[in-house]
Amino acid sequence: MALNLSALGQKVGPLAKEYSWKDVVLYALGVGAGFSDLDYCYENKLKVIPSFSIAAIFDILAQIGLKSEVNLAGILHGEQELIFHNPIPPEGTLTTEGKIAHYYDKGQDKGALVIGESDTWHSNGQKLFTSICTIFSRLDGGFGGENAPRTTVTFPDRDPDYIVDEQPSEDQPLIYRLSGDIFSLHVDPQFAKASGFEKPIMHGLCTHGFACRVLIDKLIPGQPEKARRMVCRFTKTLYPGVPIQTQIWKTGDGQALWRTVNGETGDIVIDNGIFEYGEIPVMQIRFDDRVAIVTGAGAGLGRAYALELGRRGAKVVVNDLGGARDGSGEGSSSPADEVVAEIENLGGSAVANYDNVATAAGGENIVKSALDAFGRVDILINNAGILRDKSFVKMDPGNWQAVLDVHLNGAYHVTKPAFEIMKANGYGRIIMTTSAAGLYGNFGQTNYSAAKMGLVGLMNTLKLEGQKYDVKVNTIAPIAASRLTEDVLPPDFFDKLKPEFVVPMALYLCSEGCPVTGNIYNAGMGFYNRAAVFTGPGAVLTQDDAPPSVENIQKALKNVATVDGAREYFQLNEQVGDVLTAFTAPPPASSDAAKGFANAAAVFDAMAGAFDAGAAAGVDVVFQYNIAGDLGGDWSCTIKDGACTVAPGQHESPVCTLKMEAGDFLTMMNGTLPAMQAYTSGKLKIEGDIMKSQLIEKLFKF
Ligand code: NAI
């Protein structure tokens, strides 16, 4: 099997991984830490060995291998570079996104290199590290690609500054593998023998972890957070229990070279090691070459966003109609002009626009201003707003409509043309502005609350439509003193209520590194938190498929209403999945129900026989199955005119693509993993028209 050349440049992930202090300690124990490095092993003031990073993203490395379709029989971890941007917290969720960055061809019998690059963010919003991993694939050379550029590391012609001898235990891989790499080669004596080794071998990354610990101990003792970069090449295998020696040369300020040798034979097992260390360089978040539109930027929050965007290099379209607080009046060009002048005085670049967001033509024109002046649109902050407060009984249609027109329809009018451009460019950051009044309710603001909550709905779906194009859509619920709030916020707090306290949150959500989409943040006075919709676990109240009675609801309300164990959904399908799972009978306890498919091919052989033509009236769909792994393969299944055709390979235009690991697929098809559970747990990935996939259970009776 040759490398999948079309996977080059393809995105891998995002993959999320939750971890706790126990994972951190387990890793530390796996790379030889103990009482002599208690900071790595004791949850009280726990520090994380930076090389934990690569163990924690092992799944992404596996995905890179699978996507590139390397011949698994001949792969080795060739090289590894880690760039540390921020210290790794002892717990949280890591989100990793990567791509297959390069293929290099060393020649027909010499193999190929697959380079995977990824970035990992923590749930605290910080980018933690970048990994550049080289997979050496012995059996995939000769595809006609270019060879890798040569990299050489020249060690000083003198004794190392530090030599550290260590003794990994005979059982070291048994501990290390619990951090993610459970490949049989490191645990199964028979597998190891079949692969040409005397017995299971050490994980290269385990020895790498030993080295990382030693480098920190000698160069930045007690301060793992100062590790900045670690590079190496894995050159030889090592058996557990064999002593190792890490040799370190200091070569400059904050720089060292290192390698690890087999203490018995003197063979170099890890070579070309580079280690850089020092304080975290302060990286300013910049918006150079980005074009931002801020609506309602002539005053209040919008003005503050526009100024800071300009200060940080963005080219800004300052939109403001210049009307009254309630949206009445002729409007004026001066608020927008004044903010443009302020940005220019700061050395920035901006243009004014005086259009009304409440009309489609206004929205088009605002986006046109950006294109005319700067040629593109990268950032849109939907901020323009008015107020027309009245208790509901006094809320006449005019006041209702005017507020919806500016806030909700206004965001639609500007976002629509801006989104089209962002989609075409493959990049965009959009901010909606909601309000605590919408999220939680506020007397006298039914119109405003409805509009502000409508913006949340707009974000919820737009985030999905933008996901593929790196268009992230988030929402801010600000609190700041402005003419909108001058009569409702306590004057005592006015100093802290400056819009400048909201700006950092809004601008971070506009930044390139922003890791989130579909989030809502309250921001103001220096206090920031996330607001989210959570859904309770609920209860099934039907009996023999009959609807429950009203009295049943009364009786069960406690169970229906509870939010204990509530879940946050990213999209509708996840919620539907949970509803359907609630009805799914638990998997059979014994394997009696197993249908015994030994591989995916057997499933697809049986597929036409399992097809229920009676259920297929009017169905016209192509399902593509991509089942990864040795027992998998690609098949398409076309349902048309009441007939089912199963064909091996990739269909040109499937309606819906189902992707799964072969093991999970067989568990599902053998009846012990409900399809919905497979989907909601992420084992089954569905692309294309997800709703159509729900036909499968109806169409096939295995
Ligand atoms: P502001 O009144 O100081 O600024 C709003 C700006 O929008 C004004 O300059 C106004 O001329 C402009 N504008 C109004 N209608 C427009 C239209 N149709 N087209 C173009 N521009 C228009 O108000 P503030 O407080 O800065 O509000 C900004 C946003 O933040 C609004 O969406 C508001 O609802 C929201 N918000 C503000 C809160 C706060 O505490 N200030 C609380 C919650 C939400």
Side-chain angles (χ1 to χ4, degrees):
M1 205 161 69
L3 287 181
N4 175 7
L5 298 181
S6 67
L8 189 60
Q10 263 187 28
K11 215 167 97 172
V12 182
L15 293 185
K17 184 186 167 82
E18 219 178 304
Y19 70 104
S20 75
W21 67 268
K22 289 188 183 168
D23 299 298
V24 169
V25 173
L26 186 61
Y27 172 81
L29 297 174
V31 299
F35 275 109
S36 55
D37 313 270
L38 202 54
D39 279 359
Y40 298 141
C41 304
Y42 184 23
E43 66 275 23
N44 189 4
K45 291 199 211 152
L46 186 64
K47 295 200 168 194
V48 182
I49 304 173
S51 50
F52 168 76
S53 48
I54 187 70
I57 62 162
F58 187 74
D59 288 351
I60 210 105
L61 304 189
Q63 292 272 327
I64 287 168
L66 288 174
K67 263 206 161 169
S68 60
E69 294 179 17
V70 286
N71 187 332
L72 295 176
I75 58 164
L76 292 168
H77 194 160
E79 294 179 21
Q80 182 61 50
E81 174 168 0
L82 288 167
I83 302 162
F84 306 109
H85 307 291
N86 283 293
I88 303 171
E91 60 186 12
T93 301
L94 300 176
T95 303
T96 304
E97 230 176 77
K99 64 174 181 194
I100 299 171
H102 300 286
Y103 287 146
Y104 292 117
D105 188 1
K106 294 171 83 68
Q108 180 65 47
D109 301 317
K110 295 185 177 156
L113 301 179
V114 175
I115 317 289
E117 291 179 4
S118 62
D119 288 314
T120 300
W121 282 266
H122 189 263
S123 36
N124 67 11
Q126 283 189 326
K127 182 166 164 178
L128 293 189
F129 53 88
T130 299
S131 156
I132 303 167
C133 151
T134 302
I135 299 173
F136 173 49
S137 180
R138 269 187 302 135
L139 306 174
D140 287 316
F143 61 87
E146 62 180 36
N147 200 349
R150 281 192 79 78
T151 49
T152 43
V153 172
T154 312
F155 284 88
D157 191 13
R158 59 178 166 83
D159 285 342
D161 296 304
Y162 303 101
I163 293 180
V164 181
D165 291 303
E166 290 200 289
Q167 177 77 57
S169 122
E170 296 265 0
D171 303 321
Q172 205 69 47
L174 298 181
I175 308 174
Y176 182 80
R177 66 193 295 272
L178 302 179
S179 289
D181 181 356
I182 55 168
F183 189 32
S184 313
L185 184 58
H186 306 289
V187 60
D188 184 333
Q190 271 156 11
F191 187 96
K193 282 215 170 81
S195 306
F197 296 98
E198 278 171 33
K199 57 180 182 177
I201 60 172
M202 289 277 282
H203 301 73
L205 282 175
C206 175
T207 317
H208 172 267
F210 271 79
C212 187
R213 228 171 16 81
V214 166
L215 286 159
I216 290 166
D217 188 43
K218 293 300 168 202
L219 300 168
I220 37 174
Q223 301 176 89
E225 65 279 5
K226 287 195 176 167
R228 299 272 64 85
R229 182 167 170 252
M230 186 172 176
V231 186
C232 70
R233 174 178 293 171
F234 300 97
T235 45
K236 272 221 152 67
T237 51
L238 188 76
Y239 288 114
V242 172
I244 52 173
Q245 184 176 85
T246 305
Q247 304 171 344
I248 306 169
W249 289 262
K250 282 181 81 165
T251 49
D253 202 15
Q255 282 186 329
L257 298 179
W258 63 277
R259 67 184 167 210
T260 301
V261 300
N262 179 321
E264 281 173 0
T265 62
D267 286 344
I268 299 171
V269 292
I270 304 184
D271 204 1
N272 287 6
I274 302 171
F275 187 71
E276 293 173 3
Y277 50 99
E279 300 294 341
I280 300 171
V282 181
M283 296 268 283
Q284 213 200 7
I285 294 178
R286 302 272 315 167
F287 297 91
D288 301 295
D289 301 325
R290 296 284 178 211
V291 176
I293 295 173
V294 184
T295 68
L301 287 157
R303 170 181 166 272
Y305 301 149
L307 289 179
E308 192 57 24
L309 280 164
R311 221 175 258 128
R312 288 174 182 260
K315 300 181 177 75
V316 190
V317 175
V318 177
N319 156 263
D320 207 295
L321 176 76
R325 181 185 193 243
D326 64 359
S328 62
E330 281 304 293
S332 155
S333 59
S334 18
D337 286 342
E338 281 163 26
V339 175
V340 168
E342 282 185 272
I343 294 175
E344 286 174 346
N345 285 342
L346 292 166
S349 184
V351 291
N353 170 287
Y354 321 112
D355 278 292
N356 182 353
V357 298
T359 67
E364 293 280 352
N365 237 353
I366 293 168
V367 173
K368 186 169 177 295
S369 294
L371 294 181
D372 289 350
F374 307 122
R376 54 186 289 136
V377 180
D378 303 289
I379 295 165
L380 166 62
I381 305 185
N382 286 301
N383 166 80
I386 60 166
L387 279 184
R388 292 198 181 186
D389 297 355
K390 291 266 183 275
S391 63
F392 190 55
V393 177
K394 295 184 187 143
M395 180 67 68
D396 61 45
N399 288 330
W400 174 268
Q401 194 60 48
V403 165
L404 262 91
D405 277 347
V406 174
H407 291 275
L408 181 57
N409 297 334
Y412 163 73
H413 293 315
V414 190
T415 304
K416 174 90 181 354
F419 182 79
E420 279 171 31
I421 293 164
M422 292 174 179
K423 189 176 156 192
N425 289 346
Y427 182 84
R429 299 287 180 263
I430 298 175
I431 308 292
M432 305 294 172
T433 306
T434 187
S435 161
L439 295 174
Y440 314 116
N442 196 28
F443 193 95
Q445 293 196 309
T446 46
N447 51 355
Y448 184 69
S449 304
K452 287 306 200 190
M453 223 30 198
L455 287 160
V456 172
L458 171 55
M459 168 193 76
N460 281 339
T461 291
L462 197 60
K463 81 180 176 206
L464 299 175
E465 297 189 14
Q467 209 176 10
K468 202 162 134 197
Y469 308 100
D470 195 14
V471 178
K472 292 189 167 137
V473 191
N474 289 288
T475 294
I476 194 127
I479 174 159
S482 72
R483 71 173 182 173
L484 282 193
T485 52
E486 61 199 358
D487 50 355
V488 289
L489 288 173
D492 294 357
F493 285 96
F494 266 23
D495 262 1
K496 274 198 146 185
L497 280 164
K498 286 190 189 125
E500 284 70 16
F501 285 91
V502 178
V503 171
M505 189 75 233
L507 258 66
Y508 181 62
L509 296 174
C510 293
S511 68
E512 196 170 329
C514 168
V516 293
T517 188
N519 278 6
I520 307 167
Y521 291 94
N522 288 300
M525 302 175 73
F527 181 81
Y528 311 91
N529 63 5
R530 184 157 88 88
V533 175
F534 275 76
T535 305
V540 173
L541 299 182
T542 49
Q543 278 170 356
D544 300 330
D545 283 345
S549 65
V550 179
E551 292 72 21
N552 288 149
I553 300 287
Q554 181 192 33
K555 229 162 98 190
L557 189 63
K558 204 165 152 238
N559 292 343
V560 174
T562 183
V563 284
D564 285 351
R567 234 191 109 179
E568 186 183 3
Y569 296 112
F570 189 70
Q571 58 176 308
L572 169 149
N573 289 312
E574 295 171 2
Q575 191 262 347
V576 174
D578 271 4
V579 172
L580 298 182
T581 305
F583 288 94
T584 311
S590 77
S591 59
D592 295 352
K595 293 162 189 80
F597 292 119
N599 53 35
V603 175
F604 291 96
D605 282 347
M607 201 131 186
F611 178 63
D612 177 0
V619 176
D620 182 358
V621 65
V622 179
F623 298 115
Q624 175 67 43
Y625 289 82
N626 299 137
I627 310 301
D630 290 347
L631 301 176
D634 298 333
W635 284 267
S636 69
C637 176
T638 306
I639 320 280
K640 201 172 164 52
D641 302 329
C644 164
T645 320
V646 179
Q650 181 70 34
H651 193 279
E652 267 179 4
S653 46
V655 174
C656 165
T657 301
L658 298 95
K659 297 186 170 181
M660 239 178 151
E661 293 295 322
D664 294 331
F665 179 67
L666 293 174
T667 314
M668 183 175 82
M669 296 312 296
N670 284 331
T672 46
L673 172 65
M676 265 310 152
Q677 199 178 321
Y679 177 64
T680 52
S681 65
K683 288 181 174 168
L684 167 61
K685 303 223 162 44
I686 306 179
E687 291 169 7
D689 188 342
I690 295 176
M691 300 312 277
K692 286 267 164 49
S693 67
Q694 293 176 16
L695 289 170
I696 294 175
E697 283 194 333
K698 205 175 97 185
L699 293 170
F700 297 96
K701 300 278 175 266
F702 281 94

